[in-house]
Amino acid sequence: MANITIRPESFDDLHGIDIVNISAFEEEDEARLVTAIRHSPAYIPELSLVAEGHDRIVGHLMMFLAQLDQQSRNVNILALAPMSVLPSHSHRGIGSELVTTALEQAKKRGFPAVVVVGYPDYYSRFGFEPAWLKKLDYNLPVAKEVVLVLELEEGGLNGGGTIIYPAVFHQFYEASR
Ligand SMILES: CC(C)(COP(=O)(O)OP(=O)(O)OC[C@H]1O[C@@H](n2cnc3c(N)ncnc32)[C@H](O)[C@@H]1OP(=O)(O)O)[C@@H](O)C(=O)NCCC(=O)NCCS
């Protein structure tokens, strides 16, 4: 994409990331969530990505550690959230570029699957499907239609189970209810 670079966040980006999240969501909850994840064990610095254009941050996407709890095993997977693009820069493919790059990075690191709480119409274009179709439960107070999963490795979600979001994310949902 012309003039847009996707790369992992650095310390110097933090203010710019806050601005993107606050502008896109029109509230501060998601910016606070990003900060809270950064200070939690679920944080993976290389998987908090920024879209940079013309010397400023115009988009941000975070992926962090979650678990898939199955009868016989407990597997590390990734949760994607939040994701945002400056309103002045939306509808130009920046969000899609962030998701595509994030999924490539997740696959490269050997994660078997990614989960997101989001718009089914948006994430289905990247191959995400409802978690319930895979017989997966989850520990969040949200409707089953918005919990979406993507296998990065064939059969990575076979066997059903429960997606366990880390405490930091759970607290965010509890606080915003
Ligand atoms: C959702 C968001 C990240 C998309 O970023 P983007 O750079 O505009 O995305 P792209 O240009 O790659 O794709 C745009 C397409 O996404 C889809 N889209 C955007 N917002 C959507 C929404 N709320 N619901 C469903 N689809 C949506 C549309 O099909 C749009 O297509 P169009 O440009 O032809 O109208 C951005 O609009 C945003 O920051 N929104 C506010 C925060 C938010 O809701 N984040 C997602 C939380 S899951």
Side-chain angles (χ1 to χ4, degrees), residues 17-31 33-34 60 81-87 117 119 123 172:
I17 292 171
D18 275 352
I19 290 174
V20 170
N21 279 301
I22 293 167
S23 311
F25 287 100
E26 298 179 321
E27 58 177 28
E28 295 191 2
D29 288 359
E30 287 75 12
L33 173 65
V34 166
H60 175 250
M83 165 185 174
S84 53
V85 171
L86 276 183
V117 176
Y119 308 117
Y123 288 101
F172 167 75

Side-chain angles (χ1 to χ4, degrees), residues 25 39 42 49 51 54 75 81 93-94 104 108 116 120 149 153 166 168:
F25 287 100
H39 291 97
L49 302 178
H54 302 110
V75 188
I94 297 172
E104 281 168 11
K108 220 177 186 175
V116 65
V149 290
E153 150 192 314
V168 61

Side-chain angles (χ1 to χ4, degrees), residues 91-163:
H91 303 285
R92 298 183 197 175
I94 297 172
S96 299
E97 194 71 17
L98 276 166
V99 175
T100 308
T101 306
L103 296 177
E104 281 168 11
Q105 291 298 319
K107 198 168 182 175
K108 220 177 186 175
R109 286 174 162 74
F111 286 97
V114 180
V115 60
V116 65
V117 176
Y119 308 117
D121 287 352
Y122 186 69
Y123 288 101
S124 61
R125 71 190 65 183
F126 306 104
F128 282 87
E129 58 183 324
W132 63 265
L133 275 180
K134 290 280 184 188
K135 299 188 173 25
L136 293 163
D137 206 350
Y138 50 88
N139 68 337
L140 290 178
V142 296
K144 66 176 186 170
E145 290 76 18
V146 298
V147 181
L148 311 166
V149 290
L150 175 70
E151 275 185 358
L152 296 176
E153 150 192 314
E154 208 181 324
L157 292 169
N158 283 359
T162 304
I163 294 163

